């Protein structure tokens, strides 16, 4: 089995590469990644993969690159799993174009390779955000209509529709996974949990949007990756599978816990101007994956958050080099005068 893992140097992708290497040692793995600000080859350092052969640097929105890459394999791969994306909602508000290029055109370029090869499974890693925003009640099922709010979620929903079209029109073997908010080691410090943890460690303000009452359904990246492996091996062709942590939390609850754990107090918390188009609540109904695959989340939020905060405390050498030029420019642009 030869699997192409696009976006394998990012947060969830690198956790997935590690899981595949550990649990499916006979598989041949090729990681494809543009190494954008969010991608870091060092995330794969302890995989034991021979990166000289198992890693290809390139941009999936460049069809010439994608064509050459696939043309270089003696046989088409059995599976292409696409994690590669621009993934941060706030950046999609500051500059949506890269989201269209990577998340839509990039996904399409990979899909086309699978279609033209006439074999192989295409697995698209999507998000609960394509369903839009919930009120205080209810959960998203796989049948909830797509209703995205941000340029990020609109671009992910667009890719999902192309995947569906390639399955229905061309018979491409596809699976779409949609997951709720992930957390865990190696998450880029622009996202809520690492941002608050690292800011608290540095004595910086903890910027909570609005009143901090928006709700997300948190899942540890390891649980998500275990689900993706199941979807690759056992997912039915053409299907969508929701994954979620069954762990709903208001943002302020999380920020308070992190503040307590890191600084022993809440003085750094500051309520700032809300995100435009801020989805109120996400929650996943995971009945389908539970029934079809026997999957359910194993890591509790209490344990997962504690371990994640510890990981960031112990891995300054991972995050300190990231908090430089590009990150500081984004941080100033987004948070200054908020
Ligand atoms: P991330 O931003 O940490 O990583 C994205 C990776 O994609 C990086 O390694 C980056 O270099 C690479 N990449 C970006 N543009 C590329 C391009 N044009 N060509 C090749 N590589 C490119 O993201 P993440 O949080 O690990 O998310 C991975 C996937 O999971 C995304 O598709 C995201 O939409 C989806 N997802 C994320 C979450 C979450 O909570 N983080 C939840 C559900 C779904
Ligand atoms: P984020 O990690 O960006 O994930 P998403 O927007 O994809 O759900 O944000 C999670 C929640 O935390 C979201 O409701 C926005 C909020 N948030 C803040 O209040 N302050 C921040 O600085 C960030 C990054 C997020």
């Amino acid at each position: 089995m030869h699997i192409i893992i696009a976006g394998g140097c990012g947060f969830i992708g690198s956790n997935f590469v590690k899981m595949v290497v550990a649990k499916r040692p006979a598989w041949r793995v090729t990681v494809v990644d543009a190494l954008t600000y969010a991608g870091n080859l060092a995330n794969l350092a302890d995989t034991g993969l021979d990166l000289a052969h198992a890693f290809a640097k390139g941009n999936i929105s460049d069809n010439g690159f994608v064509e050459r890459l696939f043309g270089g394999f003696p046989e088409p791969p059995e599976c292409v799993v696409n994690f590669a994306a621009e993934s941060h909602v706030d950046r999609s508000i500051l500059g949506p174009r890269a989201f269209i290029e990577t998340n839509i055109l990039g996904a399409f370029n990979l899909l086309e390779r699978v279609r033209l090869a006439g074999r192989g499974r295409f697995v698209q890693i999507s998000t609960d955000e394509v369903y839009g925003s919930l009120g205080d009640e209810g959960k998203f099922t796989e049948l909830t209509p797509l209703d995205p709010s941000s340029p990020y979620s609109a671009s992910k929903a667009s890719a999902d529709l192309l995947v569906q079209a390639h399955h229905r029109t061309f018979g491409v073997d596809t699976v779409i996974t949609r997951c709720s908010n992930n957390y865990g080691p190696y998450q880029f410090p622009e996202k809520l949990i690492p941002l608050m943890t690292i800011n608290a460690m540095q004595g910086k303000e903890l910027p909570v949007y609005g009143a901090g009452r928006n709700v997300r359904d948190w899942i540890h990246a390891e649980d998500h990756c275990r689900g993706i492996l199941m979807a690759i091996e056992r997912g039915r062709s053409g299907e969508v599978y929701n994954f979620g942590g069954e762990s709903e939390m208001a943002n302020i609850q999380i920020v308070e816990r992190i503040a307590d754990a890191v600084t022993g107090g809440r003085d750094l918390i500051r309520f700032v101007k809300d995100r435009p188009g801020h989805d109120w609540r996400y929650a996943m109904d995971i009945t389908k994956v539970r029934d079809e695959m026997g999957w359910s989340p194993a890591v509790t939020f209490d344990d997962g958050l504690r371990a994640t905060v510890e990981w960031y405390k112990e891995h300054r050498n991972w995050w300190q080099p990231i908090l430089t030029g590009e990150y500081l420019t984004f941080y100033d642009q987004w948070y200054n005068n908020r």
Side-chain angles (χ1 to χ4, degrees):
M1 162 97 164
H2 180 197
I3 184 169
I4 309 291
I5 305 178
C9 296
F11 162 47
I12 306 171
S14 63
N15 276 286
F16 182 74
V17 171
K18 284 178 198 134
M19 185 172 284
V20 168
V21 168
K23 292 193 174 179
R24 298 291 180 273
W27 289 10
R28 175 180 169 200
V29 171
T30 301
V31 176
V32 181
D33 201 297
L35 299 180
T36 68
Y37 77 90
N40 189 345
L41 205 48
N43 294 355
L44 302 182
D46 55 359
T47 55
L49 280 178
D50 172 10
L51 293 175
H53 296 104
F55 174 68
K57 182 172 186 296
N59 189 326
I60 59 164
S61 65
D62 172 357
N63 194 40
F65 160 73
V66 174
E67 236 182 296
R68 284 191 300 280
L69 175 74
F70 280 70
F73 302 133
E75 304 265 319
E78 277 82 13
C79 181
V80 176
V81 54
N82 182 29
F83 292 87
E86 289 290 336
S87 66
H88 190 35
V89 172
D90 296 337
R91 287 184 189 251
S92 83
I93 297 168
L94 285 176
R97 181 167 298 278
F99 289 73
I100 307 310
E101 289 168 356
T102 291
N103 300 3
I104 306 177
L105 189 57
F108 174 73
N109 287 338
L110 294 175
L111 253 179
E112 279 287 89
R113 284 302 111 205
V114 179
R115 172 174 82 85
L116 294 167
R119 62 173 260 197
R121 165 161 277 200
F122 183 87
V123 179
Q124 173 69 1
I125 307 305
S126 186
T127 163
D128 58 359
E129 303 196 25
V130 298
Y131 297 122
S133 183
L134 288 168
D136 290 330
E137 301 292 322
K139 290 186 175 188
F140 299 128
T141 74
E142 289 81 358
L143 299 176
T144 303
L146 303 189
D147 186 24
S149 304
S150 69
Y152 163 66
S153 51
S155 66
K156 293 296 291 185
S158 305
D160 286 9
L161 294 178
L162 288 168
V163 173
Q164 176 177 295
H166 267 59
H167 176 74
R168 291 191 188 166
T169 303
F170 304 116
V172 176
D173 176 12
T174 64
V175 173
I176 296 172
T177 64
R178 297 190 180 132
C179 191
S180 63
N181 286 63
N182 283 225
Y183 68 96
Y186 298 99
Q187 186 167 31
F188 195 82
E190 66 196 354
K191 306 282 172 31
L192 181 76
I193 288 177
L195 183 137
M196 297 298 168
T197 305
I198 289 171
N199 276 16
M201 287 171 68
Q202 296 177 309
K204 281 171 66 177
E205 282 181 346
L206 310 181
V208 176
Y209 301 160
R213 309 287 352 153
N214 302 62
V215 171
R216 299 292 184 261
D217 171 5
W218 292 92
I219 180 173
H220 195 278
E222 257 176 40
D223 279 332
H224 182 195
C225 290
R226 191 164 45 79
I228 292 168
L229 195 52
M230 284 185 177
I232 288 172
E233 294 183 318
R234 290 158 53 187
R236 284 182 294 127
S237 191
E239 293 291 313
V240 174
Y241 294 96
N242 283 355
F243 292 94
E246 295 197 311
S247 175
E248 290 183 46
M249 303 280 294
N251 295 335
I252 187 66
Q253 291 176 280
I254 297 178
V255 177
E256 285 177 354
R257 281 202 203 189
I258 293 173
D260 290 347
V262 177
T263 68
R266 298 177 182 180
D267 304 349
L268 293 172
I269 296 177
R270 193 161 73 83
F271 293 94
V272 301
K273 195 166 90 201
D274 209 350
R275 168 192 282 173
H278 195 176
D279 286 333
W280 176 248
R281 175 173 163 260
Y282 304 138
M284 283 301 221
D285 182 328
I286 58 167
T287 308
K288 185 173 174 180
V289 282
R290 207 191 280 280
D291 289 355
E292 273 192 33
M293 303 187 195
W295 179 93
S296 60
V299 182
T300 65
F301 189 71
D302 275 358
D303 289 349
L305 184 67
R306 203 176 309 117
T308 301
V309 169
E310 279 310 306
W311 189 88
Y312 282 93
K313 281 187 184 167
E314 286 162 10
H315 289 80
R316 278 180 179 269
N317 59 343
W318 181 81
W319 56 261
Q320 253 162 353
I322 292 172
L323 306 189
T324 52
E326 199 282 336
Y327 181 79
L328 294 179
T329 308
F330 160 74
Y331 200 92
D332 276 353
Q333 236 186 323
W334 185 252
Y335 289 99
N336 264 0
N337 309 315
R338 234 192 145 69

